[in-house]
Amino acid sequence: MAKGTIHNKDVFLNEIAGKLGRERRKDVTLPRWQHQPQWEVYKNDSPDDLLAIFRQSSQAKDAHVVETDRANLAETLQKVVDAYGGESIVATNDDRFAAYGLNDVLDTNHTHRWDTALGAENIEKANAANIGIFFGDIGLAESGTIVQFNDKDIARSVSLLPITYIAIVPKSSIVPRMTQAAHEVHKQVEAGKDIATCINFISGPSNSADIEMDIVVGVHGPVKAVYLVVE
């Protein structure tokens, strides 16, 4: 299959047009909206301002925000791991752990690194883990959300299955809101780059208020969430 191939596109669109009782429209262009307020939110805020908003939004969602700098990141990560019980840990297979000097912390704690050669065993390890550790690709200040670009090595299971997840968030990655994250993906598409096979927006621990609007934490996934913000 050629890159970017869409199967059965014409059949699908012709079917929709037929159901609508009209000819299919083929000359469609993106509209130019006169008003785009989404770009105005926190437009002129500094990185420190965005961090303050991110912190407040995250804490409102029961995420524990820990701030440190790069020189103290390894020590801080170890303290967070100890505070949340350590024991079994799983981490994504991400070169940033080495770049940020965290390999020793992972090795000391006998961390299972995601290994595609192990297949389903990785999921079993993640399911049994107390802590999952991964890097967030983008932080959204407005909602206290971590954006994770997944692929075969950056597995969703690491943030979804353990009791606690620790997301390492570079301060420089924090943007105002989802608008900027979606724009980043669009830029990758326009540049012809391979985009993530799955993009997850993760806000705090798992919770649900489906039943009588009472929030219950830990229904579908992690009970605790830690955002480790790195200056």
Side-chain angles (χ1 to χ4, degrees):
M1 183 176 68
K3 182 179 179 180
T5 299
I6 301 175
H7 292 279
N8 302 315
K9 173 183 173 182
D10 290 333
V11 173
F12 175 77
L13 293 178
N14 290 337
E15 177 72 13
I16 295 296
K19 295 294 184 184
L20 292 173
R22 60 168 172 75
E23 293 292 323
R24 179 181 158 194
R25 296 169 183 167
K26 296 185 177 180
D27 296 325
V28 179
T29 57
L30 289 174
R32 287 183 174 275
W33 306 112
Q34 181 179 357
H35 302 289
Q36 300 188 39
Q38 69 271 27
W39 291 103
E40 301 300 317
V41 179
Y42 308 136
K43 177 180 177 181
N44 298 316
D45 284 29
S46 69
D48 286 340
D49 294 334
L50 292 175
L51 173 57
I53 298 165
F54 177 80
R55 183 190 307 120
Q56 184 176 25
S57 301
S58 302
Q59 290 171 343
K61 293 181 172 61
D62 294 324
H64 180 199
V65 180
V66 179
E67 297 169 38
T68 187
D69 56 27
R70 196 151 173 166
N72 294 296
L73 176 59
E75 180 182 355
T76 305
L77 176 60
Q78 183 60 61
K79 288 180 178 177
V80 172
V81 167
D82 292 340
Y84 282 83
E87 298 183 357
S88 52
I89 302 174
V90 62
T92 52
N93 183 13
D94 194 324
D95 291 339
R96 285 175 288 186
F97 284 114
Y100 278 75
L102 298 176
N103 277 343
D104 286 346
V105 176
L106 299 186
D107 293 342
T108 299
N109 290 279
H110 308 291
T111 301
H112 173 73
R113 309 281 191 97
W114 196 268
D115 181 354
T116 55
L118 298 178
E121 183 179 339
N122 290 295
I123 298 176
E124 295 173 5
K125 295 277 188 182
N127 192 40
N130 179 44
I131 297 175
I133 306 176
F134 63 95
F135 274 84
D137 293 293
I138 301 174
L140 308 184
E142 182 182 50
S143 56
T145 299
I146 304 298
V147 182
Q148 188 185 33
F149 294 147
N150 298 108
D151 62 18
K152 62 181 178 60
D153 293 313
I154 313 298
R156 175 70 175 110
S157 296
V158 174
S159 60
L160 178 65
L161 297 180
I163 296 172
T164 299
Y165 73 75
I166 301 172
I168 301 169
V169 186
K171 179 182 173 184
S172 58
S173 74
I174 299 176
V175 299
R177 66 193 309 274
M178 187 176 291
T179 304
Q180 286 74 21
H183 184 63
E184 176 60 30
V185 175
H186 281 298
K187 287 196 299 184
Q188 293 178 13
V189 173
E190 290 176 351
K193 296 181 179 178
D194 291 330
I195 62 173
T197 54
C198 177
I199 302 173
N200 281 287
F201 295 79
I202 310 166
S203 302
S206 168
N207 63 67
S208 174
D210 289 347
I211 301 175
E212 298 185 353
M213 299 299 290
D214 287 332
I215 289 184
V216 179
V217 176
V219 176
H220 310 106
V223 179
K224 300 172 184 174
V226 182
Y227 296 168
L228 183 49
V229 180
V230 187
E231 183 78 33

